[in-house]
Amino acid sequence: MDALSELGVHQVFGVVGDALNPLTEAIRLTEDVEWVGCRHEEAAAFAASAQSQLSGNLGVCMGTVGPGSIHLLNGLYDAAKSRTPVLAIAGQVPVADIGSDSFQEVDNDALFSDVAVFRATVSSPDQLPRCSRRPFATRWAARALPCSPCRVTSVTGS
């Protein structure tokens, strides 16, 4: 959560799910970042986009595996068309199941390719700070990053 705090993030909008439970627990334990539970991932993505548009800061949304990732798209297109920065953290099936047509597996790289200027798969907690910081250094320097989904396959390394 330190990386998000350093980027000025105060709220994360989303829907909880198994793939994201370690992140939502980390948010619960931090004082700097607040979890805002939403009834639907689409609402979370629109909330992050609106917050970013109104504040000029990075908006963050989270959706869990498969359909949860897909539901983020409308809000992310809103952010992209408005050229406002949003980090979308999307859950994924366990690393060992990727490419096996597993239940709720979605190719997030393909799914977000049209709307994101940066995509990354995080399979270790150590990768998350780099994943969240790297694209935004460019954005604030060049003002050119509309949104940035980050696919989380596992934050526990399993």
Side-chain angles (χ1 to χ4, degrees):
M1 292 302 103
D2 292 341
L4 292 179
S5 294
E6 290 171 14
L7 291 168
V9 173
H10 299 291
Q11 295 176 315
V12 175
F13 302 90
V15 176
V16 295
D18 289 348
L20 301 175
N21 284 343
L23 283 175
T24 54
E25 179 64 6
I27 292 169
R28 187 184 72 78
L29 296 173
T30 186
E31 294 182 18
D32 297 336
V33 181
E34 173 189 13
W35 173 259
V36 180
C38 299
R39 291 184 144 196
H40 196 277
E41 292 89 350
E42 183 177 36
F46 273 114
S49 177
Q51 182 184 56
S52 180
Q53 289 176 51
L54 293 171
S55 70
N57 295 326
L58 174 65
V60 180
C61 59
M62 289 175 34
T64 193
V65 178
S69 299
I70 294 167
H71 293 196
L72 294 172
L73 283 174
N74 282 339
L76 295 178
Y77 274 104
D78 179 65
K81 296 299 180 186
S82 300
R83 301 196 57 75
T84 193
V86 170
L87 171 67
I89 301 173
Q92 182 55 289
V93 299
V95 174
D97 294 336
I98 293 176
S100 68
D101 202 23
S102 175
F103 177 67
Q104 293 195 332
E105 179 187 9
V106 171
D107 182 349
N108 284 337
D109 288 335
L111 179 68
F112 295 119
S113 65
D114 186 49
V115 69
V117 297
F118 177 82
R119 295 175 308 283
T121 297
V122 176
S123 57
S124 162
D126 297 333
Q127 292 175 282
L128 199 52
R130 289 189 307 270
C131 174
S132 61
R133 287 183 186 120
R134 192 169 109 204
F136 299 105
T138 303
R139 185 262 178 199
W140 270 284
R143 307 294 293 177
L145 183 67
C147 63
S148 179
C150 180
R151 174 175 62 163
V152 177
T153 57
S154 169
V155 291
T156 60
S158 57

